[in-house]
Amino acid sequence: MIDRNLLLRAYRLMYSVKVMSDTYEANRQITRYVHSTSRGHEAIQLATAFQLNPSDWVSPYYRDESMLLGMGWTPYELMLQLLTKGDDPFTGGRSYYSHPNSKDKDKPGIIHQSSATGMQVIPTTGVAQGLKYLSLVTDSEKVHTGVMSSPASEYVSEGTTGNADNGASSKHKNYVHGSIVICSLGDASVTEGEVSEALQFAVLKQLPIIYLVQDNDWGISVTAEEGRAMDAYEYAAGFKGLNRIRVDGTDFFESYEVMQRVIEDVRQNQRPWLVHAKVCLLNHHTSGVRKEFYRSDEDLAKHALSDPLPKFRQPIVNDFGREYIEAMERQVEADIARQFEKAVASADPDPKAIEEYVFVPTPIIEETGERAPFGNNKVIMVDAALFAIRELMEDDPRCVLYGQDVGKRLGGVFREAATLGEQFGDNRVFNTAIQEAYIIGSTVGMSAVGLKPIVEVQFGDYIYPGFNQLVTEISKSCYLSMGKFPISTIIRVPVGAYGGGGPYHSGCVESTLLSIKGIKIAYPSNAADMKGLMKAAYYDPNPVVMLEHKGLYWSKVPGTEDAKTIEPSRDYILPFGKGAIVLEATRERLENGESVCIITYGMGVYWAKAAAKSFNGAIEVIDLRTLFPLDEELVFSRVRLHGKCLVLTEEQQNNSFAEALAGRISKTCFHYLDAPVEVMGALNIPAVPLNIGLEAAMLPNAEKLIALVAKMLRS
């Protein structure tokens, strides 16, 4: 039996949604930004929202305003986002209506929500993955967020997750036994391949998540018959271990009973469900794609027959009386009008704040610890990464490592995770399926619940399936949540060519990655930098991609012996954005104007050092170490000093990061240059050939570099 007060609240909110929708439609010049309303979906959304706890997590999608109202948000707060006002509590005017995020203690948590349908399923499943991990932690491994062993404790204040938010809400939703996750999506979005990746993982790991699929028969102008071979309920049958149920999502009573039963089962048994709710679409797809553009009168009339509002109104009137309900409706209309007027009058965002929250501040700003402690042995780069992660996992039980083949059976295809699985167990170091999108995107949810995931993509060439998640979810999360949800993750990516790796195991991907704003990118060239940057990346609350040249892992490539270094101390940390001069020109050459500054990174450092041997002190080599942030101060100061500059990269040259950097150098240092800034990169062909001779013909090397530098010195 549903409490009468809850029924009255449900009707009040359902009627509020109608009035809000009518208000928006009547004020189209004011509500000019694209938006959707939840008309036709109200019953299932409210029935779900009413049963959630503050310790739960939910990902509403862009038609879920009723769910937000049911969780406690006011029409005024939603209107602030609709009108892109500065006080929009979710994104500060940066995103669309019903694109929430929240860490409010009295409401369920909501990670950043994007418009890309289906893309939210992986990050939200990542939340459930994080909750599952927290539920499995033993008493001896208990995760105390913010309380860590040295050296991390100096960087994280007690009571936080380490995800500093630059003054925004820093409340952390600690794990509570029985916490669940709701992922809301439309039936049309289930056809996305990334939805399958998430369902696979949820079933495999038996995660506490409910996929609430709202099926209104439309995917913009595409009907279910045109776009889907089966509905979500039928599709779910292919995932063994995924419980499923159908419900009439326009019937509040049925929806409440089904969701109550499913939610209770997930709380008790910690297993995944898919709820397929049949609903109707009463309004436009969005305010910009209007129903009259593509829907027939017959279709609209058919959907109107299932309108949840009149279906629910009749029993409410029978219970409370017509006069009482009509008086309440008039009150709702007056309240909505007043809140809309107040929202319209509120201030717009300050344009001066447009660049805030791209990142939250990192505590790592200085190089600390011993880079080359006396008595330590030299280590190769792959071991430096391994040792860094081992120390991080020993210091912080929030640190987890996963990806393809990283578990204890193999420890990574490069043995870069060797022994970690045996030491820390399957809960903290584990294999995933071949799911680059899930590996990358799940870190959003893992980070949100306070964990610190380190994940691996086997080769740079295989990162592209994860780009949807990297671009749509990870890179935008901090900015669009106003710092509430920076993604604290390290994504390790082996890159580079040597020894016949071929077209799918040799690619360099930095230019593609650098086109994404909101992520940081490291590219170490030696063991000490690898360890120091790995530590800096871990303590940075923002997302980091570590590009690791597999040709430098073991220093097997001739001339790369210097990639081996003394292993730094346990507390050694190298901040991002600090390049290094790894070889200086002589004072005499510099004063005579007979020097060239080579700016490079990764394998380029060793080509440059090898070439420098032919020029008797005329070459300076700068190792960038991180590509974003970039040490522009070092680069520009050294170029001004030398007057001649060459940017060296392993990537194909045309339209590369190296060419972009050369352009910035030319502009900034124009008056100091004695010659045009040169660039050397790989040949502009689509892939690295498998044959070793062809591979060598494609790549830069010391000999090719010597010829270009000699020409520059003659000019």
Side-chain angles (χ1 to χ4, degrees):
M1 188 71 176
I2 304 175
D3 182 81
R4 290 179 75 240
N5 289 329
L6 184 65
L7 292 175
L8 194 62
R9 181 185 174 212
Y11 184 74
R12 178 186 293 275
L13 293 178
M14 203 176 287
Y15 191 72
S16 295
V17 168
K18 178 186 183 303
V19 177
M20 290 161 68
S21 177
D22 292 345
T23 301
Y24 302 162
E25 187 68 11
N27 293 274
R28 287 178 60 189
Q29 287 186 320
I30 298 173
T31 59
R32 61 185 182 275
Y33 299 104
V34 174
H35 62 272
S36 300
T37 76
S38 56
R39 287 287 287 120
H41 294 229
E42 306 97 310
I44 185 64
Q45 290 182 21
L46 291 171
T48 301
F50 288 165
Q51 298 175 78
L52 297 177
N53 298 329
S55 62
D56 295 330
W57 292 80
V58 59
S59 284
Y61 83 131
Y62 57 78
R63 203 181 299 281
D64 282 1
E65 66 186 353
S66 291
M67 190 179 294
L68 294 172
L69 291 172
M71 287 190 290
W73 299 100
T74 66
Y76 171 70
E77 289 170 315
L78 303 190
M79 291 169 182
L80 289 173
Q81 186 172 54
L82 171 78
L83 301 171
T84 69
K85 296 297 186 175
D87 288 336
D88 158 24
F90 306 124
T91 70
R94 292 171 165 89
S95 198
Y96 310 92
Y97 185 59
S98 195
H99 283 58
N101 59 81
S102 174
K103 295 177 94 172
D104 281 18
K105 282 188 172 180
D106 62 343
K107 300 180 182 70
I110 306 174
I111 58 175
H112 155 68
Q113 299 298 305
S114 73
S115 292
T117 55
M119 295 304 98
Q120 78 274 28
V121 182
I122 285 178
T124 310
T125 304
V127 173
Q129 179 186 345
L131 295 181
K132 180 79 170 193
Y133 171 75
L134 293 173
S135 73
L136 294 173
V137 173
T138 64
D139 290 339
S140 62
E141 297 172 314
K142 191 67 177 176
V143 174
H144 299 291
T145 53
V147 182
M148 296 177 289
S149 303
S150 177
S153 56
E154 65 183 285
Y155 298 117
V156 185
S157 299
E158 179 130 6
T160 74
T161 66
N163 292 351
D165 55 12
N166 200 22
S169 170
S170 61
K171 303 165 186 172
H172 173 60
K173 308 182 78 64
N174 290 313
Y175 172 73
V176 175
H177 180 72
S179 294
I180 67 161
V181 180
I182 302 283
C183 181
S184 176
L185 63 159
D187 194 71
S189 69
V190 175
T191 57
E192 286 279 5
E194 294 183 21
V195 174
S196 172
E197 290 192 22
L199 296 180
Q200 287 271 7
F201 197 91
V203 169
L204 182 66
K205 302 295 185 180
Q206 286 294 285
L207 302 182
I209 186 167
I210 299 167
Y211 300 99
L212 174 58
V213 180
Q214 300 175 58
D215 183 1
N216 61 28
D217 285 331
W218 287 98
I220 307 185
S221 67
V222 179
T223 64
E225 291 75 16
E226 289 177 281
R228 286 163 262 169
M230 63 197 79
D231 66 24
Y233 179 84
E234 295 163 331
Y235 183 63
F239 296 88
K240 184 179 179 180
L242 178 60
N243 304 280
R244 59 190 179 128
I245 192 170
R246 293 189 189 273
V247 63
D248 179 357
T250 66
D251 184 323
F252 178 81
F253 296 97
E254 181 182 338
S255 296
Y256 190 90
E257 187 275 329
V258 166
M259 292 309 299
Q260 184 179 53
R261 181 155 45 94
V262 170
I263 287 173
E264 182 60 26
D265 181 81
V266 178
R267 291 199 195 283
Q268 293 297 320
N269 299 309
Q270 298 287 286
R271 58 182 183 171
W273 276 80
L274 184 142
V275 176
H276 179 256
K278 198 68 178 177
V279 292
C280 54
L281 182 62
L282 301 178
N283 267 20
H284 317 289
H285 168 70
T286 68
S287 58
V289 183
R290 305 182 66 76
K291 57 188 179 184
E292 57 266 22
F293 293 173
Y294 63 95
R295 297 178 68 185
S296 65
D297 291 340
E298 292 78 10
D299 176 71
L300 291 168
K302 175 186 173 183
H303 280 248
L305 293 174
S306 300
D307 187 341
L309 185 64
K311 288 173 67 172
F312 191 45
R313 188 177 190 274
Q314 190 57 52
I316 295 299
V317 167
N318 292 342
D319 190 358
F320 290 91
R322 186 173 303 278
E323 289 187 8
Y324 183 87
I325 296 303
E326 289 178 348
M328 186 194 73
E329 290 171 344
R330 290 192 295 272
Q331 182 187 48
V332 167
E333 291 165 4
D335 287 345
I336 297 298
R338 183 171 59 255
Q339 291 181 68
F340 184 71
E341 183 179 353
K342 181 181 176 183
V344 170
S346 66
D348 286 327
D350 182 359
K352 294 178 182 177
I354 190 171
E355 293 183 292
E356 291 182 357
Y357 305 117
V358 176
F359 298 106
V360 293
T362 175
I364 309 301
I365 56 176
E366 298 291 342
E367 186 172 1
T368 59
E370 291 188 76
R371 182 177 175 88
F374 178 77
N376 277 16
N377 296 321
K378 279 192 173 184
V379 294
I380 56 178
M381 274 184 62
V382 72
D383 283 348
L386 171 67
F387 299 159
I389 294 174
R390 175 182 295 151
E391 291 167 0
L392 290 167
M393 298 192 79
E394 288 171 345
D395 289 345
D396 188 355
R398 299 176 305 161
C399 181
V400 295
L401 172 68
Y402 57 96
Q404 296 170 35
D405 298 305
V406 303
K408 60 187 176 185
R409 192 175 296 113
L410 181 62
V413 294
F414 298 106
R415 302 295 288 157
E416 72 281 4
T419 73
L420 294 178
E422 287 91 343
Q423 182 174 351
F424 297 104
D426 294 338
N427 288 334
R428 296 186 65 191
V429 180
F430 57 89
N431 294 324
T432 67
I434 303 171
Q435 297 180 328
E436 287 83 4
Y438 188 86
I439 291 167
I440 291 174
S442 61
T443 65
V444 175
M446 294 285 275
S447 177
V449 299
L451 301 178
K452 302 275 284 183
I454 301 174
V455 298
E456 293 192 10
V457 174
Q458 279 192 346
F459 295 94
D461 305 85
Y462 299 143
I463 197 172
Y464 299 104
F467 257 60
N468 271 344
Q469 293 297 318
L470 197 58
V471 174
T472 304
E473 307 298 336
I474 289 179
S475 72
K476 296 177 174 63
S477 181
C478 185
Y479 184 69
L480 293 181
S481 69
M482 297 191 294
K484 291 192 288 294
F485 287 102
I487 311 304
S488 182
T489 184
I490 301 173
I491 301 168
R492 298 184 64 189
V493 186
V495 295
Y498 84 102
Y504 296 103
H505 299 81
S506 307
C508 288
V509 294
E510 57 264 32
S511 291
T512 308
L513 288 167
L514 285 161
S515 69
I516 306 169
K517 314 310 172 191
I519 62 174
K520 298 184 179 183
I521 300 172
Y523 204 136
S525 69
N526 59 70
D529 288 353
M530 172 72 87
K531 187 172 184 182
L533 290 171
M534 188 74 75
K535 293 289 185 81
Y538 186 79
Y539 300 131
D540 193 319
N542 302 289
V544 173
V545 177
M546 293 284 295
L547 297 177
E548 305 173 11
H549 199 295
K550 64 185 194 294
L552 299 177
Y553 268 158
W554 300 283
S555 292
K556 289 183 178 179
V557 177
T560 62
E561 182 68 21
D562 287 348
K564 298 179 184 177
T565 70
I566 297 294
E567 184 188 356
S569 63
R570 187 183 188 94
D571 61 349
Y572 178 66
I573 301 178
L574 179 63
F576 277 47
K578 301 292 184 183
I581 302 173
V582 297
L583 182 67
E584 291 190 72
T586 65
R587 180 185 295 273
E588 180 182 4
R589 288 283 196 158
L590 189 59
E591 291 176 349
N592 291 338
E594 299 172 338
S595 63
V596 172
C597 178
I598 299 178
I599 299 164
T600 188
Y601 53 95
M603 187 64 77
V605 171
Y606 300 95
W607 294 328
K609 289 171 71 174
K613 295 176 182 178
S614 298
F615 294 101
N616 193 27
I619 305 301
E620 176 167 299
V621 180
I622 293 177
D623 182 355
L624 294 174
R625 303 201 287 201
T626 65
L627 307 186
F628 192 90
L630 183 68
D631 193 347
E632 291 187 340
E633 181 181 353
L634 175 65
V635 169
F636 295 154
S637 66
R638 302 311 293 181
V639 171
R640 290 180 181 124
L641 192 62
H642 290 274
K644 292 181 180 179
C645 169
L646 184 152
V647 183
L648 175 62
T649 180
E650 185 175 327
E651 278 196 300
Q652 292 93 325
Q653 183 171 326
N654 280 8
N655 304 313
S656 63
F657 157 70
E659 286 196 334
L661 177 56
R664 298 215 298 277
I665 293 170
S666 295
K667 180 178 179 180
T668 305
C669 304
F670 179 77
H671 295 293
Y672 298 86
L673 293 174
D674 298 325
V677 177
E678 294 284 354
V679 178
M680 176 177 279
L683 298 181
N684 298 300
I685 57 179
V688 181
L690 182 60
N691 177 271
I692 293 175
L694 294 177
E695 177 190 77
M698 176 192 182
L699 297 175
N701 58 36
E703 290 71 28
K704 295 176 185 179
L705 188 57
I706 287 169
L708 180 54
V709 171
K711 180 181 176 182
M712 294 175 68
L713 288 171
R714 289 194 300 268
S715 65

